[in-house]
Amino acid sequence: MPAIDTRVELRGRGAELAALERVLAAARAGSSAVLVLRGEAGIGKTALLNYAASRAAGFRKAGVAGIESEMGLPFAGLHQLCAPMLDQLHELPGPQRDALSVAFGLREGEAPDRFLVGLAVLGLLACAAEDQPLACLVDDAQWLDVGSMQVLAFVGRRLMAESVALIFALREPDHDRHLAGLPDLIVEGLSVPDARALLASAVRAPLDPLVRDRIVAEAHGNPMALLHLPHALAPAELAGGYGLPAGHSLVSHVESAIYQQFRSLPPDSQRLLVTAAAEPTGDGGLLWRAASLQDIPVDAAGPAESEGLVEFGVRVRFHHPLVRSAVYHRTPPPDRRTAHRALAQATDPHLDPDRRAWHRAQAAARPDENVAVDLERSADRAHGRGGAAAAAAFLRRAAELTPDPARRVIRALAAAEFDIDAGGTAQADSLLGVAEAGPLDDLQRARLERLRARLVFSQLRCSNAPRLLLDAAHRLAPFDGALARDTLLEAVGAAIFAGRLSDGPGQREVAEAVRAGPSPPSPPRAVDVLLDSMAGLIIDRCAPTVDALRRALDIVRQEQQSGATDADRRWLWLTFRVIPEPLAPELWDDDAWHEMATGAVRIARETGALSVLPMALTYMAGFHVHVGEFDAAAILIDEATAISEAAGGVPMMYTSLVLGAWRAQESRARDLIETTIEEVSARGEGRVLSLAEYATAVLYNGLGRYDTALAAATRACQYEDLGFFGWALAELIEAAARSGQSEVAAAALDKLTERTHASGTEWALGVAACSRALLSDDQEADALYREAIEHLGRCRIVVQLARARLLYGEWLRRHNRRQESRTQLRSAYEVFSRIGADGFAERARRELLATGETVRMRTIGAVAELTSQEAQIARLAREGHTNSEIAAQLFISPRTVEWHLGKIFTKLGVSSRRHLRSALSAPKPATPPA
């Protein structure tokens, strides 16, 4: 291809160049900037990345280009990007350094959580940018391996004050949404004048104006097409337009033109380019070793370089990814296999066994057990480095190359399981089809059914998953009782999650299957005790199962406190998802809730398990809501949301519903509730519907609109969803009593009393006494309100204690006991105002006004000016944590912590950490005068 002046090649790209300059300027100024360039193949993204590299004077530079054929190698792209910075690996904290070393195969170890790897990469980039700004350029991001893409997406969302410019080029249309939400720029086609100028610079022969206009029109402003389409036309066609159109896509046209250039090269140059295209790392030494094995002379490089297709050096660089693609994919398979065979022979089996196995697999023309065994070993190593997707890719190819049908089934099932873990649902479905076509024994067929059920649950969340998991458990029971019980636990979780939206067996049917299923081993595993306890809770509901449920909670707490192995912790996460979240509320056990939530967050932080941490933070946030620490809950919710978004997941909005209801910002709370109901209905999360209705009842009881609260609480109580049913009953009783629906309230009180009596905790007994007082006569009501306040005063649930005082104060005022009512109402108002429960605070304020008391407005301290993340950093700094420790907890870099602290000091009017303790003692809201 003729050389094109850069000014001509980038003509018409003023907006794109300005955006790149802004990104680089931000990094020069000491803050991070991220940009995703999106556009079709050949639109000019690579040229823009090259421009950014040329303009990054004074920057340290790192780059990587995704390669389609390398997508199965774990963290391959990430390793290529980070390789120039690994000399600073020692500067990372130990857990991060170890995680990254294992991921890159630099040392042996347990599979690291991929988001701990993300935190390590974030720290590594921050270290590299300490002395000079860092420019990271990622081309063809759609072809990065899954692990690399997830980590870089995480890093892109957490960069803030690290002097790093991170620029991606991503081909559109692209269905991978890892980079969704990052700042992006759509790179569109050139205007007609700019397209004509670029075409004129590429064509040295006479060009008929009509042909020129046809090429410009067909190229749709795509620079690569403009540069290469003329090479696909004969001179007669260029001069006079004599030719027939070819019915191919634009990319196909461009690749055809490139391939014609390639075919014009001498045979040895062609073989060298095919080998270079088959070698994804661009390692010049490896390429020439492979070339020597094929008797390709060194001077074969010259013609290819003269044509502008490739540059040979220490690194081999194709002019554009489409050049590599055209050369590789249009070359006949036998020639590609020859290149891969040479590359396998040239690759050191000790230093890079996985890439050698990969080349051997690409060179195989027929099933080969030796190659399949090599791939199986590579899968084990990939899994050990935390690359479930890579392990699946190795096993998938191993299954294809396995000559024995029985062994093919084994490898296909293993590959499918890894694919499900990695989210590769389409590949998993295909592999299960391969396994199903082979000779399956009964155990394998049962395992296949279990994997199909898990696949459905991962895709559709809940619709048919309970039935499929239950059927799989039945099939597994005669062959593997432990795996059958594991599957039953998953079925219980799916049934709880689906709730009323389950398309199949409900919770009770699944629980009865647990009791009728395989007996637990002796001694029982933790998961067995939990499974049997859950079955008892679902079937017996109350008193008969309380002791068993408490034993189950104790087991989970012991697992958290013991040095559980990684395998044990994996079960802990599963049981945490399925079991503890409903158990503690179901038992009204605030101590267990606090201990379990604290333990789950601690373990998730220590291990860097970002896949679990958002769930643990949300669970902890729920506890903070009920103990009246709304700001702390909001901070945890924000952190959970940020991590979920960084990990490419869906934020968990459950606690946000309840917090919004207590804060009583009606419009925002209603919008959140309605949006959540719509989303969970589509996903099949029926249990959350009860939570949403419960939150609605809290909102309108706080606002004093009891008819609306009653309707919502009634809907929430239509289904006995675990954990929320008792809470909803209490809301229903208050709303019904205030709406004059005494019979409805009495029926709900009977159900509530059964549950609270079985629990026997201070929280449970306090809520029961308060609910009973609402329906009692004068003398009994007085005693019950006092009893409720006494019980609730001995537990952590501050919001219910304040509500009991509010209800008692309202009752006292209506009985003309104004002085006594003021004491209760003043206490309730103080708590509700301090924690931000505005609806209930307003109820208390109105009642105080009715007693003749004047109420001062609340004051807001300086702490309220801090953002959620700033408040969390300030508290951690006050507790004595270093910047590195804070960064590790919040999954940001130490430099970002330092940047936030500067803003915190300014807002609080302090100059150092030692002043934070007094500054964070924000003034409490003004209380009504006595």
Side-chain angles (χ1 to χ4, degrees):
M1 190 181 72
I4 303 299
D5 189 312
T6 302
R7 290 169 298 178
V8 176
E9 189 177 15
L10 293 174
R11 180 172 175 172
R13 294 301 189 197
E16 291 85 350
L17 300 185
L20 292 171
E21 292 286 3
R22 286 194 295 271
V23 169
L24 296 173
R28 284 195 188 93
S31 60
S32 298
V34 180
L35 182 65
V36 182
L37 300 172
R38 299 177 180 274
E40 64 182 18
I43 201 66
K45 304 183 298 297
T46 299
L48 290 169
L49 285 182
N50 291 339
Y51 172 84
S54 71
R55 297 290 294 171
F59 278 70
R60 186 174 184 174
K61 300 170 193 173
V64 62
I67 297 171
E68 188 175 11
S69 57
E70 201 179 22
M71 292 177 71
L73 295 175
F75 299 115
L78 191 66
H79 183 246
Q80 186 176 340
L81 182 74
C82 295
M85 298 171 255
L86 291 181
D87 59 334
Q88 294 176 280
L89 192 60
H90 66 280
E91 298 183 35
L92 299 180
Q96 297 175 32
R97 181 176 62 248
D98 293 343
L100 199 58
S101 297
V102 172
F104 288 167
L106 303 177
R107 51 157 290 187
E108 297 293 328
E110 294 291 337
D113 186 284
R114 66 177 179 270
F115 297 113
L116 185 57
V117 175
L119 184 58
V121 172
L122 179 63
L124 192 65
L125 299 187
C127 289
E130 279 292 331
D131 298 327
Q132 63 184 129
L134 173 66
C136 296
L137 308 176
V138 183
D139 202 359
D140 272 329
Q142 75 280 353
W143 286 339
L144 288 177
D145 60 278
V146 173
S148 295
M149 179 65 99
Q150 289 173 332
V151 169
L152 289 176
F154 168 82
V155 169
R157 292 183 174 91
R158 306 305 281 178
L159 284 169
M160 186 171 293
E162 293 82 10
S163 295
V164 176
L166 177 57
I167 306 174
F168 297 90
L170 182 69
R171 182 179 295 185
E172 294 286 357
D174 176 60
H175 301 295
D176 190 323
R177 306 313 300 166
H178 286 108
L179 301 181
L182 291 176
D184 62 5
L185 177 64
I186 305 300
V187 183
E188 297 179 335
L190 299 176
S191 66
V192 171
D194 291 325
R196 284 177 175 170
L198 182 59
L199 179 61
S201 69
V203 177
R204 300 291 184 256
L207 184 60
D208 184 278
L210 295 177
V211 175
R212 177 201 63 194
D213 291 344
R214 193 201 81 189
I215 293 174
V216 168
E218 290 181 353
H220 299 290
N222 185 295
M224 182 64 73
L226 291 163
L227 293 173
H228 283 282
L229 280 178
H231 297 280
L233 301 176
E237 293 178 273
L238 290 173
Y242 301 105
L244 295 174
H248 300 293
S249 69
L250 180 61
V251 171
S252 177
H253 273 305
V254 173
E255 289 193 346
S256 294
I258 293 171
Y259 190 66
Q260 285 187 32
Q261 276 186 276
F262 164 74
R263 292 295 294 168
S264 70
L265 297 174
D268 284 340
S269 298
Q270 291 184 38
R271 290 196 295 144
L272 181 62
L273 250 63
V274 171
T275 307
E279 201 294 294
T281 67
D283 184 337
L286 176 59
L287 173 64
W288 287 112
R289 290 197 301 274
S292 177
L293 290 169
Q294 300 173 78
D295 297 322
I296 299 173
V298 174
D299 60 9
E305 287 188 307
S306 297
E307 283 292 313
L309 296 173
V310 68
E311 297 172 10
F312 291 100
V314 176
R315 311 300 299 179
V316 179
R317 181 178 179 271
F318 282 88
H319 170 75
H320 191 277
L322 283 177
V323 177
R324 177 194 291 273
S325 177
V327 169
Y328 186 82
H329 290 293
R330 290 173 182 264
T331 294
D335 295 339
R336 293 203 304 261
R337 288 195 290 268
T338 298
H340 281 293
R341 191 174 300 111
L343 287 164
Q345 293 172 352
T347 301
D348 190 313
H350 303 292
L351 296 179
D352 202 349
D354 297 337
R355 205 173 298 278
R356 181 176 182 273
W358 180 77
H359 280 303
R360 289 188 71 201
Q362 302 306 314
R366 60 185 62 85
D368 186 322
E369 179 62 20
N370 288 331
V371 176
V373 168
D374 261 6
L375 290 168
E376 202 166 33
R377 292 176 185 144
S378 292
D380 289 340
R381 286 189 291 267
H383 184 236
R385 297 198 297 273
F394 281 124
L395 284 171
R396 197 181 310 127
R397 181 62 174 152
E400 293 171 359
L401 294 176
T402 302
D404 178 48
R407 291 190 65 81
R408 188 183 309 122
V409 166
I410 295 171
R411 287 166 177 157
L413 288 174
E417 188 149 20
F418 279 129
D419 261 325
I420 292 171
D421 290 340
T425 54
Q427 298 95 321
D429 189 57
S430 174
L431 285 161
L432 292 177
V434 170
E436 199 165 22
L440 291 165
D441 61 29
D442 290 338
L443 176 57
Q444 288 171 332
R445 186 163 294 282
R447 285 186 58 209
L448 186 145
E449 287 195 13
R450 176 174 183 260
L451 291 174
R452 282 212 181 278
R454 288 188 60 204
L455 184 60
V456 168
F457 187 59
S458 66
Q459 290 175 307
L460 305 177
R461 298 297 288 178
C462 294
S463 61
N464 199 31
R467 178 174 299 284
L468 293 174
L469 286 163
L470 190 56
D471 290 345
H474 288 324
R475 186 176 284 274
L476 282 164
F479 310 105
D480 190 333
L483 186 57
R485 288 179 64 82
D486 295 348
T487 308
L488 284 169
L489 181 64
E490 293 175 305
V492 169
I496 291 172
F497 206 69
R500 67 191 73 175
L501 299 180
S502 176
D503 181 15
Q507 296 176 29
R508 186 176 185 87
E509 185 177 342
V510 175
E512 288 171 346
V514 172
R515 287 191 169 175
S519 300
S522 183
R525 304 167 298 164
V527 67
D528 295 307
V529 177
L530 289 164
L531 176 61
D532 292 337
S533 299
M534 284 303 299
L537 171 62
I538 292 168
I539 294 173
D540 302 322
R541 287 297 174 187
C542 290
T545 60
V546 167
D547 290 341
L549 291 174
R550 289 206 171 108
R551 283 198 302 275
L553 285 177
D554 288 341
I555 285 175
V556 175
R557 291 153 85 175
Q558 290 167 12
E559 289 280 351
Q560 288 178 332
Q561 295 166 0
S562 67
T565 66
D566 286 342
D568 293 334
R569 281 178 171 171
R570 280 195 291 273
W571 270 116
L572 179 59
W573 299 138
L574 173 61
T575 55
F576 176 70
R577 289 185 179 98
V578 175
I579 307 296
E581 192 273 328
L583 275 190
E586 188 75 17
L587 291 177
W588 307 78
D589 191 334
D590 52 304
D591 287 334
W593 192 354
H594 175 258
E595 188 174 335
M596 289 171 58
T598 302
V601 170
R602 174 181 55 80
I603 292 174
R605 289 199 193 282
E606 287 175 355
T607 58
L610 267 70
S611 57
V612 175
L613 183 55
M615 187 186 314
L617 291 169
T618 301
Y619 186 43
M620 186 72 179
F623 174 78
H624 280 296
V625 169
H626 284 80
V627 301
E629 297 171 354
F630 290 2
D631 289 341
I635 290 169
L636 293 172
I637 291 169
D638 286 349
E639 183 182 355
T641 300
I643 293 171
S644 293
E645 290 175 345
V650 177
M652 301 181 67
M653 304 305 296
Y654 310 153
T655 303
S656 299
L657 296 177
V658 182
L659 177 59
W662 278 100
R663 282 181 160 167
Q665 297 168 346
E666 183 181 4
S667 178
R668 292 176 59 185
R670 282 300 311 170
D671 287 346
L672 180 60
I673 289 169
E674 290 169 3
T675 299
T676 301
I677 288 175
E678 182 178 346
E679 290 179 355
V680 301
S681 297
R683 292 200 298 264
E685 300 175 32
R687 183 167 177 263
V688 183
L689 295 178
S690 289
L691 177 61
E693 297 294 0
Y694 161 74
T696 304
V698 171
L699 171 66
Y700 287 109
N701 270 334
L703 295 173
R705 288 155 59 179
Y706 300 111
D707 289 344
T708 306
L710 176 58
T714 301
R715 291 192 297 271
C717 293
Q718 285 178 336
Y719 299 87
E720 296 195 18
D721 289 301
L722 295 180
F724 308 136
F725 185 65
W727 298 355
L729 284 171
E731 298 300 329
L732 190 152
I733 291 165
E734 179 174 341
R738 289 287 191 254
S739 302
Q741 302 283 334
S742 57
E743 291 183 1
V744 173
L749 179 62
D750 289 342
K751 295 178 181 178
L752 178 66
T753 302
E754 181 184 6
R755 284 158 175 76
T756 54
H757 179 74
S759 169
T761 65
E762 298 289 355
W763 177 11
L765 297 176
V767 169
C770 191
S771 298
R772 199 177 309 118
L774 282 163
L775 302 178
S776 301
D777 58 27
D778 294 352
Q779 186 172 356
E780 185 182 10
D782 193 312
L784 286 170
Y785 280 126
R786 292 178 181 276
E787 179 186 339
I789 291 168
E790 185 176 349
H791 282 303
L792 292 168
R794 291 196 290 261
C795 75
R796 303 168 185 261
I797 309 302
V798 169
V799 294
Q800 294 301 339
L801 174 60
R803 282 185 75 170
R805 290 190 181 280
L806 171 60
L807 290 169
Y808 188 28
E810 289 174 339
W811 182 86
L812 288 167
R813 188 186 70 77
R814 284 165 178 72
H815 287 76
N816 293 318
R817 294 162 61 177
R818 292 196 174 193
Q819 191 61 38
E820 294 173 84
S821 73
R822 286 174 183 166
T823 301
Q824 299 299 330
L825 292 170
R826 195 181 302 121
S827 177
Y829 177 76
E830 177 183 351
V831 171
F832 286 136
S833 297
R834 172 172 54 83
I835 67 179
D838 292 345
F840 288 100
E842 179 60 18
R843 260 179 64 180
R845 190 187 72 85
R846 287 198 304 266
E847 290 291 326
L848 278 168
L849 291 174
T851 67
E853 185 158 334
T854 302
V855 184
R856 292 199 299 263
M857 297 296 292
R858 290 187 293 153
T859 60
I860 299 176
V863 176
E865 298 178 7
L866 301 180
T867 67
S868 296
Q869 189 169 60
E870 289 170 352
Q872 193 166 15
I873 289 171
R875 288 185 174 86
L876 290 169
R878 180 189 64 183
E879 293 167 7
H881 293 282
T882 66
N883 285 5
S884 294
E885 290 169 342
I886 296 171
Q889 283 203 34
L890 303 185
F891 301 97
I892 54 180
S893 75
R895 184 163 180 171
T896 293
V897 174
E898 183 181 355
W899 180 74
H900 275 303
L901 281 172
K903 296 174 67 177
I904 291 165
F905 291 165
T906 300
K907 288 182 178 181
L908 298 182
V910 301
S911 58
S912 68
R913 287 170 177 255
R914 62 192 180 90
H915 297 126
L916 283 176
R917 183 172 296 278
S918 58
L920 290 176
S921 300
K924 293 184 178 180
T927 57

